[in-house]
Amino acid sequence: MVSIVHDRSGSPNQPPPLQDYNLFESDAALREGVGRYLGDPGRLSTLGKAAGSPGVIAWGFAANAHAPELRTHNRYGDRIDEVDFHPAWHDLLRVAIGFGMHATPWASEEPGAHLHRAAAFSVWSQVEAGVGCPLSMTYAAIPALRTEPALAEVWEPLLTSTVYDPNLRPAAEKRGVLCGMAMTERQGGSDVRTNTTSAAPAGSGGEYRLTGSKWFCSAPMSDAFLVLAQAPGGLSCFLLPRVLPDGTRNAFHLQRLKDKLGNRSNASAEVELAVAGGWRVGEEGRGIRTILEMVNCTRLDCVIGTAALMRQAVAQATHHAAHRSAFGKRLADQPLMAGVLADLAVESEAATALMLRLAHAADCSAHEEHEALIRRIGTAVAKYWVCKRGPVLTAEALECLGGNGYVAESVMPRLYREAPVNSIWEGSANVNALDVLRALARTPATRDAFFAEVALAAGGDHRLDAHVARLRQDLEGGPAEGQARRLVERMALALQGALLVRHSPAAVADAFCASRLGGDWGHAFGTLPDGVDTAAIVARHTPRAATTSP
Ligand SMILES: Cc1cc2nc3c(=O)[nH]c(=O)nc-3n(C[C@H](O)[C@H](O)[C@H](O)COP(=O)(O)OP(=O)(O)OC[C@H]3O[C@@H](n4cnc5c(N)ncnc54)[C@H](O)[C@@H]3O)c2cc1C
C-alpha cells in the first residue's frame, strides 16, 4: 500500500522540508573521505548539525532575499564606499570565521588542517555559497602575502584570526580582517597582462600609488585587496588596505555593485582606484606569479564549492523522491527516477572524492613532491571538470522536485543560479584546460605524478584500466590546444574513477566506470546502463532528517 506523507501543515503528498539533519553525518561520501584522510572529524559533526537547523537555513534565505546595498556617500557628500548587508550575512560569516573556514589552516600545527577546512567549507557552502567568496579569498591571500615577509608579519595574524570584526578601521586596530582580490579589468580578465592600472613608486618601504579601475572586485567590504597593476618594472602585485595606517580611507571607490545571475548575497563591485595607497607584494614585474599563489587556492575552493552545491542538490532531490509519490509509488522507487537520482549521486560522489583528494594534496604538498605535483595538475583538471558539471547537475536535480523545484522556497533555484560562477571566476574553463596543457609541457613530472596516482587503482576495474591506457597513449604526442577540453575531461574522469574504485562502495564505482569510462551512457543524467544497483546508490545519498525519520 502507498502511504501519502503529510507535512506538518497536513498537505497531502508534499514532502516535508529538509531540515533538522546533519549535513556532515548524513553525507556518506564526505564523512568517509574525512575519515580516510584525517581519522578524527573534529568539530565537523557539530557544524553539520548547525548547518541543518531551521534557523541557520533561514539565514541563507534571508541573506539572498536582502541583497547587499552600496552606499557611496554619506549625507554630507563625503565618499564612504560602504556596503550594507543583512544581519544574516554577518551571522553566516561570523560562524564560518569562528570555525576557521578562512585562513586558519595556515596558522595551524594540526595535520590535515586544509582538509578539515575543506570539509567545513563544503558543509557551510550548502547553507549559502555567497559567503564562500570572502572566506576563500582570505584563505588564498596568505601564500601570496608570504612572498613579502614584512607585510605578512602584520597581516597574517589578522587574516588567520577567528574573530569576525567587520568594522572599518586601520589594521593595527582590528582583531580580524578579510582580504579580497582585484585583477580583472574591463578589457580583460583572463589575460591580465592587458591590465592598465598603474602603480607609481611613492618613497621607500615598497609603497606605491595606484590609479585605474577594476571591473570585478568581489567582497568589496574586505579590509584589504591583492591588486595587479603596472609598475615601472612590469605587472606587479600590491596589497591595498581599505583604511590606511594613519586612519584615513584609501582612495578605493566603489562605483556600483553588479546585478548578478546568482551569488546574490555576496557583493561584487566595480572599483575606481583614484591614486590609492598600496604596498608591493613580491618583486616588481612578477605580479602574475605572485597572485597565482592566491589563485591556486581559490581554484581549489571553486572545486569544493561546486562539490558542495552538487551534494546539496542531490540531498534535496533524494529527500523529495523519498517522500513524494506518483502513480501509486514513491518517486524513489520508480525505476526511471531511481536511475536519474543514482546518476546524479554518482556525479556528486565523484566530485566530493576529487575535492577531498586535492585538499589532502594541499596539506602535504609542502613536504611531498608527489603531492605538490598532484596539486598542480589536479587542481586545474578538477577546476575545469567539476565546475563544468555543477550547472548541469543542479538543473537535473531541480527537475526531480517537479514544479516545486522551480520555486525559490525549495532552494533549488538558488543552487542552479549559483552553479555557473565557479566555472567563470578564478580562470574560466578554457583557461584552466589550457593551464593543464601548460603544466604538462613545462613540468613533465606532473604527467608522471598523474599516472602514478591513477595507477593506485590499477586492476580494480577493467574499464578504468582501458581508459587510462588510452589516455597515456594520447598524451604521448603532446595534445593540440583545440583538443584541451577533451583531454582534461578524460584526465578528470580517470582521477575520479581511480578514487571511486579505491574508496567507494562497489555500486558507486561500478556505475561510474560503466557509464563515464565504459561508454555505456547517454547524453543526459538518468541513462546509466542496466544492472547498476541504483537502489543502493540512492539510499547512500538520501539524507536522514530528524523531522522525517520514522
Ligand atoms: C560574480 C563574479 C565575481 C568576480 N569577482 C572577481 C574578483 O573579486 N576579482 C577579480 O579580479 N575578478 C573577479 N571576477 C572576474 C572573473 O575572474 C573574470 O570574469 C574571469 O576571469 C574571465 O575574465 P573576463 O570576464 O574578462 O572574460 P574573458 O577573459 O574575455 O574570457 C571570455 C571567454 O573567453 C575564454 N578565453 C579566454 N582566453 C582564451 C584562450 N586563450 N583560448 C580560448 N578561450 C579563451 C574564457 O574562458 C571565457 O570563456 C568575477 C567574476 C564574476 C562573474
Side-chain angles (χ1 to χ4, degrees):
M1 199 184 95
V2 180
S3 61
I4 300 291
V5 177
H6 290 254
D7 75 2
R8 280 176 292 184
S9 65
S11 301
N13 205 19
Q14 286 284 348
L18 178 55
Q19 60 186 29
D20 287 325
Y21 74 117
N22 189 315
L23 270 76
F24 176 71
E25 296 293 346
S26 69
D27 183 347
L30 181 67
R31 194 187 62 241
E32 291 167 15
V34 167
R36 185 157 68 240
Y37 295 111
L38 272 189
D40 179 7
R43 295 173 292 145
L44 288 169
S45 187
T46 311
L47 181 76
K49 185 167 183 233
S53 66
V56 169
I57 291 171
W59 288 349
F61 279 95
N64 271 274
H66 306 279
E69 284 179 23
L70 175 61
R71 285 196 296 128
T72 53
H73 295 80
N74 66 12
R75 58 190 286 204
Y76 307 106
D78 305 318
R79 283 212 77 113
I80 51 170
D81 299 297
E82 291 190 358
V83 183
D84 285 342
F85 290 86
H86 188 270
W89 167 266
H90 296 295
D91 289 335
L92 287 161
L93 262 184
R94 187 172 296 106
V95 172
I97 289 170
F99 192 92
M101 280 175 230
H102 58 310
T104 45
W106 303 110
S108 172
E109 303 279 303
E110 293 289 315
H114 290 276
L115 187 118
H116 190 262
R117 171 200 173 263
F121 190 86
S122 160
V123 165
W124 207 241
S125 298
Q126 292 180 56
V127 177
E128 168 47 30
V131 290
C133 175
L135 294 173
S136 178
M137 291 196 289
T138 303
Y139 169 63
I142 301 264
L145 210 51
R146 282 183 176 172
T147 59
E148 206 60 51
L151 285 178
E153 199 183 315
V154 175
W155 287 88
E156 193 168 325
L158 293 168
L159 290 162
T160 55
S161 158
T162 51
V163 177
Y164 177 50
D165 179 2
N167 299 312
L168 200 55
R169 285 192 303 251
E173 296 171 22
K174 298 266 308 187
R175 293 185 299 146
V177 297
L178 292 172
C179 189
M181 164 172 53
M183 295 198 289
T184 306
E185 296 186 2
R186 227 169 300 192
Q187 71 282 358
S190 306
D191 187 2
V192 290
R193 290 168 306 178
T194 62
N195 271 194
T196 59
T197 295
S198 69
S204 56
E207 200 177 339
Y208 288 68
R209 296 279 176 267
L210 275 64
T211 309
S213 53
K214 294 291 174 182
W215 188 232
F216 277 93
C217 178
S218 293
M221 69 296 171
S222 299
D223 300 277
F225 301 85
L226 289 182
V227 177
L228 285 183
Q230 302 286 358
L235 193 61
S236 312
C237 180
F238 298 89
L239 180 82
L240 192 149
R242 212 143 63 92
V243 179
L244 293 166
D246 67 5
T248 55
R249 286 183 189 220
N250 209 348
F252 178 83
H253 299 322
L254 307 183
Q255 301 297 87
R256 59 175 180 158
L257 297 185
K258 305 281 192 187
D259 182 6
K260 297 177 288 183
L261 167 69
N263 196 252
R264 296 185 70 84
S265 68
N266 179 34
S268 300
E270 293 166 17
V271 175
E272 206 67 35
L273 304 178
V275 197
W279 280 261
R280 183 167 37 76
V281 181
E283 289 173 46
E284 255 195 29
R286 310 276 282 177
I288 294 182
R289 178 170 285 245
T290 305
I291 213 154
L292 272 178
E293 296 284 343
M294 181 175 196
V295 171
N296 280 336
C297 293
T298 51
R299 283 183 181 170
L300 170 61
D301 281 359
C302 291
V303 179
I304 302 170
T306 305
L309 283 177
M310 287 186 181
R311 165 60 195 161
Q312 181 58 204
V314 168
Q316 294 287 347
T318 50
H319 171 80
H320 183 89
H323 293 89
R324 175 89 168 174
S325 302
F327 300 100
K329 255 205 291 202
R330 283 190 328 150
L331 287 176
D333 297 330
Q334 309 270 5
L336 191 52
M337 179 56 99
V340 173
L341 295 170
D343 214 352
L344 294 171
V346 165
E347 193 71 37
S348 163
E349 183 154 348
T352 299
L354 186 51
M355 74 86 168
L356 287 172
R357 176 66 188 88
L358 292 171
H360 177 63
D363 272 317
C364 307
S365 59
H367 312 292
E368 294 176 42
E369 196 191 353
H370 174 75
E371 295 299 323
L373 293 165
I374 285 298
R375 183 173 178 234
R376 169 69 188 94
I377 191 99
T379 305
V381 166
K383 166 73 167 80
Y384 171 76
W385 183 239
V386 173
C387 297
K388 267 277 150 272
R389 301 302 285 159
V392 278
L393 182 140
T394 47
E396 190 67 59
L398 182 154
E399 192 176 330
C400 294
L401 276 69
N404 284 355
Y406 204 70
V407 173
E409 288 164 320
S410 76
V411 91
M412 301 306 273
R414 175 142 55 98
L415 302 181
Y416 179 65
R417 289 197 312 265
E418 183 73 23
V421 77
N422 283 324
S423 190
I424 296 172
W425 57 18
E426 311 308 325
S428 312
N430 286 354
V431 169
N432 271 276
L434 293 173
D435 190 40
V436 174
L437 296 196
R438 192 174 310 118
L440 290 169
R442 287 193 191 164
T443 318
T446 54
R447 179 185 177 283
D448 302 334
F450 172 84
F451 283 111
E453 179 71 20
V454 294
L456 294 172
D461 187 287
H462 66 279
R463 295 155 298 198
L464 174 63
D465 293 343
H467 177 86
V468 172
R470 283 192 301 272
L471 190 55
R472 189 186 285 276
Q473 223 170 27
D474 293 349
L475 268 175
E476 292 296 341
E481 196 173 306
Q483 296 298 306
R485 280 188 179 221
R486 280 176 76 100
L487 177 88
V488 177
E489 177 174 323
R490 291 164 64 207
M491 290 177 75
L493 293 175
L495 275 176
Q496 291 183 321
L499 288 166
L500 296 188
V501 164
R502 287 169 64 204
H503 305 302
S504 288
V508 175
D510 175 56
F512 186 92
C513 292
S515 54
R516 278 77 170 163
L517 306 180
D520 197 358
W521 202 27
H523 294 288
F525 285 109
T527 52
L528 290 170
D530 217 14
V532 165
D533 189 352
T534 55
I537 299 170
V538 175
R540 174 174 169 79
H541 285 265
T542 305
R544 305 271 172 266
T547 49
T548 59
S549 54

